[in-house]
Amino acid sequence: MHRSDVKQAVDFWIYLIAFPIVLIVGVVGNTLNLAVLWRSQRMRRESFVFLRCLAVTDFAVVFIMVSFDLIRSRVVTQSKAVLWYYSHVCFFIMRSGICVSNLLIAALTIDRYAFVCRPACSFGQKFRQKAWVTTTIFVVVSLILHIPHTFETNVAEFMYEETNETYFNWNWTSNVHENVFFRYLYPFLKEVINKILPITCVLILNPLILRTHRKMMRRRRDWTCLSSNERRWLRDERRLMVLLLAACAVFIACTLPQAFVTVLIRADKQLYHNTNDFYTFVHVANLIEAANFCINFYVYSVASSDFRLSFQEVVLCRQTKSQEAARAYEQTNGNGNSTMALSYRTRATTISNSNTVL
């Protein structure tokens, strides 16, 4: 099949058909996800800050992807101003948002690892402030990391030979790409921070978290002296564990294909231009990566019965006994979350150390 036919098929099926469906699903899902994580009494504890930040980031990325797809599928007239936004602003914000989302998954994983496997090293008190500071640092680092992308492209004017009509298109700035930094150092640095570190973190730490969590569950007789408030706080941590595993599973499944594409393109730059099958696979990988920011709400709903109950409480306005208890608890205990966390960490540290000895 000729490359022009392949490109036309990819533009139609992926960017004109599949992408809009995924993005519509993502807008609806992320809107509901934000409502549940921010309004549900079950999800308003300190330990859910990273998940709420992740939901906000995913919503922002999907919003930018909508403009990306409208331009990419040529639904919007491709004027010089539109293409300048597409090649400089849209790519910059979208890539930065993707990086922030990936780093938040890594931060959530590290926090759970510290809490479950190394309780004495976790955030402890003032978790909310530290989580927000961490998220702010991720945003700043991601924006700085992707500033060089704004110099890689330019918008040029071209002419159709058949009709002598002028049109605009963006292309890579050749003298920039020939620079040693842009050609060798920057792509490696960007991929390490954006994908390799988060993927490695998730793949290594989650099995350790699961193993330690199971050991602690076997020794649950050591928790018989927990107060009712501590037990409620512990249920929140179990709830967060389920949502973490669901988010990490989506992240790995949707990010690995794009990481695989990046490695192959760096190994053989002509592969994308010379092989139709690989050209198609690259854009399918783009679609799969976009799904990473669109389906968390649905995965959470399938994986966690507590999340489904929270959805009913927020969207369907169903007042449950657990919601009433949680509200009464917050009114009577105020910011006692940190105290319970320290109390539980003391017990968890003892159990974790005994597991290490065993």
Side-chain angles (χ1 to χ4, degrees):
M1 184 180 293
H2 197 270
R3 170 52 66 94
S4 61
D5 296 330
V6 174
K7 185 177 183 301
Q8 187 176 4
V10 166
D11 288 344
F12 177 77
W13 290 108
I14 293 182
Y15 293 103
L16 199 58
I17 301 298
F19 240 99
I21 295 175
V22 171
L23 293 179
I24 291 172
V25 170
V27 170
V28 175
N30 282 319
T31 302
L32 295 175
N33 200 25
L34 285 171
V36 173
L37 289 174
W38 285 86
R39 296 187 59 190
S40 173
Q41 295 295 326
R42 297 167 179 264
M43 306 290 174
R44 292 182 66 179
R45 303 290 174 83
E46 292 179 338
S47 49
F48 288 88
V49 172
F50 279 134
L51 271 181
R52 290 197 288 273
C53 293
L54 179 64
V56 172
T57 304
D58 288 351
F59 185 86
V61 171
V62 170
F63 183 78
I64 292 296
M65 282 183 176
V66 171
S67 64
F68 161 81
D69 188 58
L70 289 174
I71 300 172
R72 180 66 176 77
S73 59
R74 300 180 183 274
V75 174
V76 176
T77 302
Q78 298 191 337
S79 64
K80 185 175 183 178
V82 168
L83 288 173
W84 187 91
Y85 162 81
Y86 177 77
S87 60
H88 290 79
V89 179
C90 182
F91 277 152
F92 171 69
I93 298 178
M94 186 169 65
R95 288 165 175 164
S96 299
I98 290 172
C99 184
V100 172
S101 180
N102 294 347
L103 292 176
L104 283 173
I105 289 289
L108 181 59
T109 302
I110 293 172
D111 170 61
R112 292 300 89 196
Y113 171 79
F115 178 83
V116 175
C117 303
R118 299 287 187 269
C121 302
S122 56
F123 275 173
Q125 292 181 329
K126 298 183 178 179
F127 176 88
R128 189 185 302 273
Q129 295 90 330
K130 294 177 181 178
W132 282 111
V133 170
T134 302
T135 303
T136 303
I137 292 174
F138 287 164
V139 172
V140 173
V141 169
S142 298
L143 291 174
I144 294 175
L145 180 65
H146 291 86
I147 286 178
H149 273 302
T150 60
F151 301 99
E152 285 188 312
T153 59
N154 61 77
V155 179
E157 186 176 354
F158 299 89
M159 180 177 292
Y160 290 111
E161 295 181 358
E162 297 83 0
T163 61
N164 291 330
E165 294 181 356
T166 59
Y167 68 97
F168 295 96
N169 201 358
W170 70 275
N171 53 22
W172 301 107
T173 306
S174 58
N175 60 339
V176 172
H177 269 262
E178 291 172 0
N179 184 281
V180 173
F181 171 76
F182 279 94
R183 190 169 184 178
Y184 299 105
L185 299 180
Y186 176 64
F188 175 77
L189 175 65
K190 180 173 67 75
E191 291 304 318
V192 166
I193 297 176
N194 190 21
K195 289 189 175 68
I196 296 177
L197 284 180
I199 290 175
T200 303
C201 176
V202 168
L203 289 178
I204 292 177
L205 295 185
N206 273 290
L208 299 177
I209 294 172
L210 281 175
R211 185 181 66 179
T212 304
H213 184 70
R214 288 175 179 174
K215 287 182 179 180
M216 294 174 70
M217 289 299 103
R218 294 193 195 105
R219 297 179 62 86
R220 58 184 179 272
R221 62 178 178 272
D222 295 316
W223 297 341
T224 54
C225 54
L226 287 176
S227 67
S228 60
N229 286 339
E230 288 174 328
R231 289 180 181 277
R232 185 180 296 111
W233 191 85
L234 180 59
R235 284 196 296 270
D236 282 343
E237 293 303 319
R238 291 173 179 169
R239 184 179 300 131
L240 183 59
M241 177 76 69
V242 173
L243 297 182
L244 164 67
L245 295 178
C248 289
V250 172
F251 169 71
I252 292 297
C254 296
T255 305
L256 278 181
Q258 187 60 45
F260 182 64
V261 163
T262 301
V263 171
L264 289 180
I265 289 180
R266 296 301 174 191
D268 185 0
K269 294 183 179 297
Q270 299 302 318
L271 188 62
Y272 177 79
H273 302 285
N274 298 335
T275 308
N276 288 339
D277 291 340
F278 184 72
Y279 175 86
T280 304
F281 177 72
V282 168
H283 294 282
V284 171
N286 289 341
L287 177 65
I288 295 174
E289 186 178 35
N292 178 40
F293 309 97
C294 300
I295 62 176
N296 276 338
F297 168 78
Y298 309 101
V299 175
Y300 294 163
S301 299
V302 172
S304 173
S305 59
D306 286 313
F307 191 86
R308 293 193 294 271
L309 289 174
S310 299
F311 172 76
Q312 294 176 8
E313 293 169 1
V314 172
V315 178
L316 304 181
C317 300
R318 292 182 179 177
Q319 186 83 358
T320 64
K321 292 182 179 179
S322 60
Q323 186 180 21
E324 294 173 354
R327 182 172 295 139
Y329 162 76
E330 288 186 353
Q331 291 174 351
T332 56
N333 290 275
N335 294 325
N337 226 14
S338 299
T339 304
M340 283 193 300
L342 290 174
S343 174
Y344 175 72
R345 283 191 182 93
T346 302
R347 304 174 192 272
T349 302
T350 304
I351 297 173
S352 180
N353 291 338
S354 65
N355 284 336
T356 303
V357 174
L358 290 175

XYZ file of all heavy atoms in Angstrom, residues 115-117 207-219 223 234 237-238 241-242 245 344 355:
226
model
N 4.809 4.039 53.199
C 3.834 3.795 54.258
C 3.758 2.313 54.622
O 3.717 1.961 55.801
C 2.452 4.284 53.823
C 1.391 4.024 54.842
C 1.207 4.892 55.899
C 0.590 2.895 54.762
C 0.244 4.638 56.859
C -0.377 2.634 55.715
C -0.553 3.512 56.768
N 3.750 1.439 53.625
C 3.563 0.009 53.879
C 4.873 -0.677 54.264
O 4.916 -1.456 55.219
C 2.955 -0.681 52.637
C 2.864 -2.186 52.838
C 1.565 -0.111 52.351
N 5.944 -0.372 53.514
C 7.198 -1.107 53.700
C 8.193 -0.390 54.600
O 9.017 -1.043 55.240
C 7.855 -1.359 52.335
S 6.810 -2.256 51.164
N 5.239 -4.682 43.389
C 5.325 -6.045 43.935
C 5.780 -6.069 45.391
O 5.286 -6.887 46.184
C 6.361 -6.716 43.014
C 6.276 -5.965 41.733
C 6.007 -4.557 42.133
N 6.699 -5.171 45.768
C 7.137 -5.103 47.166
C 6.003 -4.644 48.072
O 5.840 -5.153 49.186
C 8.329 -4.151 47.287
C 9.593 -4.524 46.507
C 10.655 -3.443 46.672
C 10.125 -5.877 46.957
N 5.219 -3.683 47.583
C 4.076 -3.205 48.372
C 3.073 -4.336 48.584
O 2.587 -4.557 49.704
C 3.400 -2.018 47.662
C 4.335 -0.818 47.604
C 2.103 -1.636 48.366
C 3.820 0.325 46.750
N 2.766 -5.064 47.529
C 1.801 -6.167 47.641
C 2.299 -7.250 48.584
O 1.535 -7.768 49.414
C 1.528 -6.752 46.249
C 0.560 -5.977 45.356
C 0.498 -6.612 43.974
C -0.827 -5.917 45.976
N 3.573 -7.599 48.457
C 4.126 -8.655 49.312
C 4.073 -8.262 50.781
O 3.630 -9.045 51.631
C 5.569 -8.950 48.902
C 6.188 -10.129 49.655
C 7.623 -10.351 49.238
N 8.459 -9.219 49.658
C 9.774 -9.150 49.441
N 10.384 -10.133 48.779
N 10.462 -8.105 49.847
N 4.499 -7.045 51.103
C 4.490 -6.592 52.491
C 3.063 -6.457 53.009
O 2.770 -6.802 54.161
C 5.216 -5.243 52.608
O 6.531 -5.373 52.075
C 5.302 -4.801 54.056
N 2.158 -5.971 52.151
C 0.764 -5.816 52.568
C 0.145 -7.171 52.908
O -0.579 -7.294 53.905
C -0.021 -5.145 51.444
C -1.446 -4.854 51.799
N -1.807 -3.885 52.706
C -2.604 -5.417 51.370
C -3.116 -3.851 52.823
N -3.622 -4.766 52.015
N 0.449 -8.173 52.112
C -0.083 -9.513 52.391
C 0.471 -10.064 53.706
O -0.252 -10.708 54.479
C 0.247 -10.445 51.241
C -0.563 -10.173 49.972
C -0.101 -11.048 48.833
N -0.891 -10.795 47.624
C -0.625 -11.341 46.441
N 0.416 -12.158 46.311
N -1.382 -11.057 45.401
N 1.746 -9.832 53.964
C 2.337 -10.295 55.222
C 1.671 -9.622 56.409
O 1.400 -10.256 57.432
C 3.840 -9.995 55.236
C 4.663 -10.894 54.330
C 6.144 -10.557 54.438
C 6.978 -11.463 53.548
N 8.434 -11.136 53.637
N 1.402 -8.333 56.254
C 0.754 -7.612 57.338
C -0.679 -8.091 57.548
O -1.176 -8.127 58.673
C 0.794 -6.112 57.042
C 2.204 -5.530 57.041
S 2.281 -3.805 56.530
C 1.495 -3.026 57.931
N -1.347 -8.477 56.455
C -2.703 -9.004 56.590
C -2.691 -10.345 57.334
O -3.601 -10.642 58.106
C -3.330 -9.181 55.207
C -3.683 -7.890 54.486
S -4.887 -6.878 55.374
C -3.790 -5.620 56.070
N -1.649 -11.151 57.102
C -1.563 -12.436 57.813
C -1.354 -12.228 59.307
O -1.721 -13.084 60.115
C -0.409 -13.257 57.241
C -0.597 -13.696 55.795
C 0.421 -14.755 55.427
N 0.494 -14.936 53.977
C 1.481 -14.487 53.215
N 2.491 -13.836 53.777
N 1.479 -14.674 51.924
N -0.756 -11.117 59.664
C -0.500 -10.832 61.077
C -1.525 -9.848 61.636
O -1.239 -9.076 62.544
C 0.907 -10.263 61.246
C 2.007 -11.232 60.827
C 3.379 -10.590 61.007
N 3.632 -10.259 62.397
C 4.131 -11.114 63.289
N 4.431 -12.359 62.923
N 4.323 -10.738 64.545
N -3.446 -6.278 65.194
C -4.244 -5.055 65.091
C -5.520 -5.111 65.937
O -6.384 -4.258 65.809
C -4.640 -4.801 63.634
C -3.472 -4.559 62.752
C -2.220 -4.193 63.121
C -3.446 -4.683 61.328
N -1.406 -4.075 62.027
C -2.120 -4.363 60.914
C -4.382 -5.018 60.362
C -1.737 -4.380 59.579
C -4.006 -5.029 59.042
C -2.694 -4.715 58.656
N -7.507 2.875 58.733
C -6.870 1.760 58.043
C -7.669 1.341 56.817
O -7.104 0.986 55.774
C -6.717 0.581 59.007
C -6.061 -0.682 58.443
C -4.665 -0.364 57.923
C -5.990 -1.772 59.503
N -6.767 3.474 54.018
C -5.492 3.099 53.407
C -5.653 1.894 52.476
O -5.032 1.828 51.413
C -4.462 2.786 54.495
C -4.063 4.001 55.317
C -3.507 5.118 54.453
O -2.751 4.823 53.521
O -3.839 6.289 54.712
N -6.495 0.952 52.863
C -6.762 -0.188 51.979
C -7.472 0.269 50.716
O -7.181 -0.217 49.614
C -7.625 -1.220 52.719
C -6.907 -1.941 53.853
C -7.881 -2.810 54.629
N -7.226 -3.527 55.707
C -7.868 -4.186 56.654
N -9.197 -4.205 56.653
N -7.203 -4.824 57.595
N -4.982 1.724 48.504
C -4.145 0.683 47.904
C -4.795 0.124 46.638
O -4.121 -0.066 45.612
C -3.942 -0.454 48.920
C -3.150 -1.636 48.394
S -1.395 -1.316 48.309
C -1.001 -1.247 50.049
N -6.089 -0.118 46.682
C -6.792 -0.643 45.510
C -6.741 0.363 44.358
O -6.466 0.003 43.208
C -8.264 -0.973 45.871
C -9.045 -1.357 44.619
C -8.316 -2.109 46.885
N -3.208 0.489 42.772
C -2.931 -0.640 41.879
C -3.681 -0.492 40.561
O -3.145 -0.811 39.496
C -3.296 -1.957 42.575
C -2.464 -2.313 43.815
C -2.964 -3.606 44.441
C -0.990 -2.432 43.460
N -0.805 4.402 63.871
C -0.786 3.189 63.052
C 0.619 2.897 62.542
O 1.039 1.749 62.475
C -1.743 3.317 61.877
C -1.659 2.130 60.958
C -2.172 0.900 61.336
C -1.016 2.224 59.723
C -2.071 -0.206 60.517
C -0.904 1.127 58.904
C -1.445 -0.070 59.300
O -1.323 -1.149 58.485
N 8.341 -8.829 60.240
C 8.308 -9.541 58.969
C 9.703 -9.676 58.384
O 10.058 -10.696 57.780
C 7.418 -8.790 57.983
C 5.952 -8.997 58.291
O 5.569 -9.985 58.907
N 5.124 -8.042 57.874
